[in-house]
Each structure stands twice: as structure tokens, then as C-alpha cells.
Amino acid sequence: MEHNKLADKVARLLDAPGILGIVSAGDPVLRQKTKPYEGQLDDDLLHRLVARMRETMEKTDSAVGLAAPQVGIPLRLAVMATPEQLSERLTKSGQQPVPFTVLINPSYKAVGRRRVAAYEGCLSVPPWQAVVARADRVTLTREDEHGRRTKEEHAGFAARIVQHESDHLDGTLYLDRAELRSLSTQEQVVKRWGPAGVAAAAEELGFALP
């Protein structure tokens, strides 16, 4: 019965035209630990949901990931990718762009102890950003939409996305891990802290870096 209710909810969500609506902070679905995916959706419905989540992410400015709770679905499912413009910047900085990736029942472990602080934002918490320290390298275990299970390592920005999206699936928002003194509007981050860097933000706003 639970499976049927969830499948009906997803079907109704996908019946609406256009990109999916993003749930804003304050909605309880963002604070619930999601249910593991155990075949609650048939293959066609799952593939349609993944496709619409991808479309929504790609058509939303600056989005690099989207978790199912952000569209109101309490399933352990997320997607991630870096848009072309960001991919070019990552390549120039020596990092690997993130191809479109489906994360079903993901789990990760930090590799080593190095943590890196950087500004993060969230589609569910516009227009704010704040500094979050996260593991610089992780080992990710996940399934894709075809049921294939993989284990892979991610570093840098990709590792940050993995951790951010996995947090969503545990009912955690990035603000729960953030240095709240760093809280800035997206405009301020781009204008002031993008060029100056996180170290300058830490010094001027008064918070510690790892």
C-alpha cells in the first residue's frame, strides 16, 4: 500500500507540465530521513522521474544537484552534474567536471582527514550561501536507475556535491553544517567573496577555517 501511494504521488507530480517545483526550506519533507529505494516505482516511472529531475536541474540557474525531497518525494534518490560553464572553470583549476550521475541509495565515506571550506548554496534556500567545511575526498557507493551498483572516488567539487546531496537524503540542510557568520546573499558572494576568496571572508566576517 505504501508503495502504491508513493507511485501515485510521483505519477501526479510528473503529470504536470514543465520543470518540477522546488520545495523551500520549512517544508517537513526536507527534514525527514528518506526511505531507501526498494522498487517502489516501476522502471518506467523511475526513469521518467530521473529524467524530469535532470531537466529541472539543468534548467535551474547554477544548479549542480537535485535530491528527491527537494521536489517533494521522500526517496533516497538524487542527481548531480556540473553545467558547461562551471565545467570549463573546473577544468582550468585542475578538477574533473561531474558528468550527469544518478545516485540511488547512496552512501559515502571520507578518504583521509583533509577538509576544505567553501561557499555553498541550495535551491531550497534561496538566495543565501554560507561556508561549509567538507571532506575533500570521498568514496561513494551508489546504484543507478538501471539497478547497477558502483563504488567510486570523488574529490574536490564533486565530493562536495556528493556530500551536499546525501545530506538532503538524511533530512539535513547545508545550513546545519555551515559557519553562520559567513551567511551571505548570492549577490554578495559573487561580488565580494568570489574574487577575494573564503580566507578573506573568514577574516572579515569572523569565523574559523579548518
Side-chain angles (χ1 to χ4, degrees):
M1 183 63 69
E2 286 291 328
H3 286 201
N4 291 339
K5 287 182 179 179
L6 185 60
D8 288 344
K9 183 175 183 177
V10 172
R12 289 195 302 271
L13 182 72
L14 298 180
D15 280 344
I19 63 174
L20 302 174
I22 304 295
V23 173
S24 297
D27 190 308
V29 72
L30 294 174
R31 291 309 197 173
Q32 298 167 3
K33 189 175 178 65
T34 55
K35 296 179 180 179
Y37 179 72
E38 298 173 336
Q40 293 95 324
L41 312 178
D42 63 35
D43 288 348
D44 178 66
L45 197 56
L46 175 62
H47 293 163
R48 287 172 56 207
L49 176 59
V50 167
R52 287 288 289 283
M53 288 176 65
R54 179 177 188 173
E55 178 190 21
T56 301
M57 177 182 66
E58 291 178 345
K59 290 186 177 180
T60 304
D61 186 43
S62 303
V64 295
L66 183 66
Q70 291 182 278
V71 296
I73 304 299
L75 269 182
R76 202 161 184 82
L77 161 67
V79 297
M80 66 180 192
T82 49
E84 185 176 349
Q85 184 177 4
L86 178 56
S87 294
E88 291 175 1
R89 295 207 303 268
L90 287 174
T91 300
K92 289 179 181 177
S93 68
Q95 296 193 60
Q96 290 294 320
V98 182
F100 177 73
T101 304
V102 178
L103 295 84
I104 294 177
N105 298 331
S107 62
Y108 71 86
K109 290 185 178 180
V111 177
R113 296 183 179 180
R114 184 169 188 263
R115 291 166 61 80
V116 175
Y119 268 98
E120 285 187 22
C122 179
L123 297 178
S124 294
V125 194
W128 302 99
Q129 293 191 27
V131 171
V132 183
R134 295 194 186 271
D136 186 51
R137 188 176 296 272
V138 299
T139 299
L140 168 69
T141 302
R142 66 179 177 91
E143 299 164 24
D144 66 13
E145 68 271 39
H146 304 291
R148 295 177 296 224
R149 189 173 179 83
T150 63
K151 187 175 183 179
E152 56 210 30
E153 193 168 294
H154 293 278
F157 191 68
R160 181 169 295 274
I161 302 174
V162 166
Q163 292 168 83
H164 181 111
E165 299 307 326
S166 296
D167 275 352
H168 272 303
L169 305 182
D170 291 327
T172 299
L173 294 177
Y174 82 98
L175 289 173
D176 299 329
R177 303 186 185 277
E179 291 285 351
L180 291 184
R181 290 185 68 93
S182 71
L183 189 66
S184 306
T185 62
Q186 184 173 338
E187 180 183 6
Q188 284 284 2
V189 173
V190 172
K191 173 183 171 182
R192 187 185 302 269
W193 305 127
V198 173
E203 181 177 355
E204 294 195 45
L205 298 178
F207 62 91
L209 294 176

